[in-house]
Amino acid sequence: MNELIPLLLQGAWMTLQVTFWGSLLAIVSAILGALGRLSPIAPVRWLAVTYIELFRGTSLLVQLFWLYFVLPMPPFNIELSAFSVAVIGLGLHIGAYGAEVMRGAIRSVHKGQYEACVALNMTPVRRFYRIVLPQALLAAIPPGTNLLIELLKNTSLVSLITLSDLTFRARQLDQATFMTLEIFALTLVLYFVMAQAINLAMRLLDRRLSRGRMRGGMS
């Protein structure tokens, strides 16, 4: 049993790395996608809609296969490492769902906030980063937490593009030792612990943003 844990922890570390970088890409993609959907410029809006509908409307597994197996072929000739494919595929896929969450969160900011910013002669960029984005992020945290946990669980698919994540290590150990119950019980616990860590981190972020909003409202 003791020899199983180090290998599973190696897989969990790979899963954490993919989750971390994929989450960063998903957050950036969600914000840019939401802004694109809300843009008054038609080509930007169409591009954002195309991205969101393409990645939401197709299978994540097929997207990973496209990035890993199809892009290196002519006429694309773009070769990416399995790790890069995992991060890009998961980040863009979850980011497409997050874009709709962020769009709703941005629209939920009260119209009076925008009017106050105009009265204070704030530039659109400063208004977005100082006023709109913090409030939108606060509104997006509950559904965003679910999406990040979904991203973590979807990392199990990257084993199919040869990445040695937690699921890959579990299947490898199972085939070598036939200790199916012990291996997948530990795997289940590790995924649960990582999901709870994401949940805790997002709760702490929620509290911090809430305190900042309260201080801003009192000042």
Side-chain angles (χ1 to χ4, degrees):
M1 187 69 175
N2 290 335
E3 66 273 12
L4 300 179
I5 296 176
L7 287 173
L8 286 176
L9 289 177
Q10 287 179 18
W13 173 238
M14 177 60 69
T15 293
L16 281 174
Q17 292 181 74
V18 172
T19 301
F20 176 77
W21 293 110
S23 296
L24 290 183
L25 178 58
I27 291 168
V28 172
S29 300
I31 294 172
L32 293 178
L35 291 176
R37 282 295 307 267
L38 297 170
S39 173
I41 304 172
V44 173
R45 193 166 60 250
W46 296 337
L47 184 63
V49 170
T50 301
Y51 156 63
I52 292 169
E53 297 306 325
L54 176 64
F55 280 89
R56 287 199 312 169
T58 56
S59 165
L60 172 58
L61 183 58
V62 175
Q63 292 166 18
L64 291 173
F65 282 173
W66 253 87
L67 291 171
Y68 192 67
F69 295 112
V70 177
L71 283 187
M73 299 171 62
F76 306 106
N77 297 317
I78 301 173
E79 191 164 351
L80 299 170
S81 67
F83 183 83
S84 299
V85 167
V87 170
I88 294 170
L90 287 165
L92 292 179
H93 183 81
I94 297 299
Y97 288 91
E100 291 299 282
V101 171
M102 278 302 301
R103 183 165 69 102
I106 291 172
R107 282 185 165 177
S108 72
V109 177
H110 196 273
K111 187 178 178 181
Q113 300 280 341
Y114 293 93
E115 294 171 350
C117 292
V118 172
L120 292 171
N121 205 24
M122 277 190 179
T123 63
V125 173
R126 189 177 182 189
R127 176 178 66 202
F128 178 73
Y129 283 108
R130 292 290 301 275
I131 306 298
V132 177
L133 184 59
Q135 295 183 66
L137 287 175
L138 187 59
I141 283 177
T145 301
N146 293 334
L147 289 177
L148 293 182
I149 292 175
E150 189 67 24
L151 188 152
L152 167 68
K153 293 188 293 185
N154 284 340
T155 58
S156 60
L157 295 176
V158 304
S159 62
L160 299 175
I161 56 170
T162 72
L163 199 64
S164 300
D165 71 316
L166 179 54
T167 299
F168 181 91
R169 290 296 186 187
R171 292 169 60 190
Q172 192 179 50
L173 286 169
D174 179 44
Q175 292 171 4
T177 65
F178 299 102
M179 299 173 65
T180 304
L181 176 61
E182 295 86 347
I183 290 167
F184 284 103
L186 283 171
T187 302
L188 193 69
V189 169
L190 288 171
Y191 273 116
F192 179 78
V193 169
M194 289 187 285
Q196 293 310 303
I198 292 174
N199 196 27
L200 176 61
M202 297 301 283
R203 284 183 182 179
L204 293 174
L205 178 62
D206 187 20
R207 290 177 185 173
R208 182 169 182 178
L209 288 175
S210 297
R211 286 199 298 267
R213 185 176 181 182
M214 288 177 63
R215 285 197 298 267
M218 294 172 61
S219 59

